[in-house]
Each structure stands twice: as structure tokens, then as C-alpha cells.
Amino acid sequence: MTEIEADPALPIIRISRDFRATPAQLLRAHTDPAVFVRWIGPDSLDNRIDYWDARTGGRWRFVSSRAGEEFAFHGSFHEIRPDRIVQTFTWEGDPDGVSLQTLRFADLGDGRTRLLTQSLVESFESRDAWLKSGMEVGLNEGYAALDGMLTDGAV
């Protein structure tokens, strides 16, 4: 189950989800474009990678589409380590709405890892707009697809 929490004191969204996977598998799921493009949600969207340079200092861009409508996202990888990724994330429909994201991979033992994500945005209004955007559906459907890929050995 994906837990999504809005910080009451700061414009931050915190997300937590446990996976039956190693930290290395979750790192690969977030840095290998051929894997990432297959699970990023929601299910109703088709995705393509425009560019992807998964290294500290690299940048990325992907486009999601549905019925002729496109939604593009881009950012840069500030830091990639085995236990965390720090990156920016921007939906191009709101180019001023840059998020600073930190993803942590916490090894729980027994082949399980907790993914902890923190997204800092500019304002409470921006944070609340993200929460009302349907992001929960995309997260849950995407993570369910990732669970399936992990179970099938695709990651």
C-alpha cells in the first residue's frame, strides 16, 4: 500500500511504499530508462523516453500520452547513490512548478525495501494542486506495475 502524506508545516509531500525487492532493484527501476518507461503510471498513459542520462549531474525527459494528448516531464539527477536519488521533477504544463525530490531505498532485510520519497515544492498551493491532480492513481497503478515486473523478474 502506498502512503501519501502532506507535511502540515512545509510544502512537502512524503510517500512511502514497501516492495519485495532489493535496494539495487529499486534503484534500477528508477534509473534504467527501459525499465522506468514500463511501470511509470497511470495505466491509461503510454510513455516514451526522450532522453535519459541517469548519473549524478545527468538529465532526463519523458512524455506520457493518451488519445492524442501529451504530458511531458523533465528534470535533472542531482545525485545518484545506491541508497538514494536526489532529482528535480517538472511537469512542463507548469514549468514554474519545480519539485526537489529525494528517493531513499531502505533495506528492510528478507528481500524487502521501503521506498521513501520526499517532494519539496514552492508553495502550499502547488503542493495541494499536486495532491488533487490524481497523482495517487498514477502512483498506485505505477507501483502495482512495478510490483508485477519485480515478481516476473523483469527488474
Side-chain angles (χ1 to χ4, degrees):
M1 181 170 114
T2 304
E3 295 178 18
I4 301 171
E5 171 192 318
D7 189 299
L10 298 168
I12 291 175
I13 299 169
R14 291 190 179 90
I15 302 165
S16 176
R17 170 126 177 177
D18 291 357
F19 290 91
R20 184 161 299 287
T22 65
Q25 287 175 296
L26 287 184
L27 178 69
R28 180 174 175 230
H30 287 85
T31 57
D32 182 331
V35 174
F36 181 83
V37 75
R38 291 179 52 205
W39 68 262
I40 194 68
D43 296 343
S44 62
L45 297 174
D46 294 315
N47 300 298
R48 76 173 189 274
I49 302 291
D50 276 357
Y51 50 84
W52 197 272
D53 183 11
R55 63 177 174 82
T56 296
R59 61 192 186 107
W60 57 269
R61 183 175 191 265
F62 73 92
V63 179
S64 300
S65 62
R66 173 180 44 226
E69 195 173 13
E70 290 192 339
F71 312 94
F73 306 87
H74 72 270
S76 59
F77 293 107
H78 178 74
E79 179 181 51
I80 297 179
R81 297 188 335 206
D83 63 335
R84 79 179 198 163
I85 298 171
V86 179
Q87 67 182 10
T88 58
F89 182 95
T90 303
W91 170 49
E92 293 179 6
D94 180 17
D96 294 332
V98 179
S99 168
L100 177 62
Q101 297 183 332
T102 302
L103 292 78
R104 289 186 176 83
F105 309 109
D107 191 342
L108 302 174
D110 196 29
R112 298 185 53 77
T113 300
R114 179 166 294 144
L115 173 61
L116 300 162
T117 302
Q118 176 175 291
S119 298
L120 172 65
V121 296
E122 183 178 24
S123 67
F124 287 100
E125 294 79 15
S126 182
R127 182 203 62 195
D128 293 346
W130 278 49
L131 292 169
K132 292 176 186 172
S133 72
M135 70 175 272
E136 184 174 347
V137 171
L139 282 170
N140 285 320
E141 289 181 359
Y143 288 158
L146 179 54
D147 278 334
M149 292 173 67
L150 290 162
T151 299
D152 294 345
V155 181

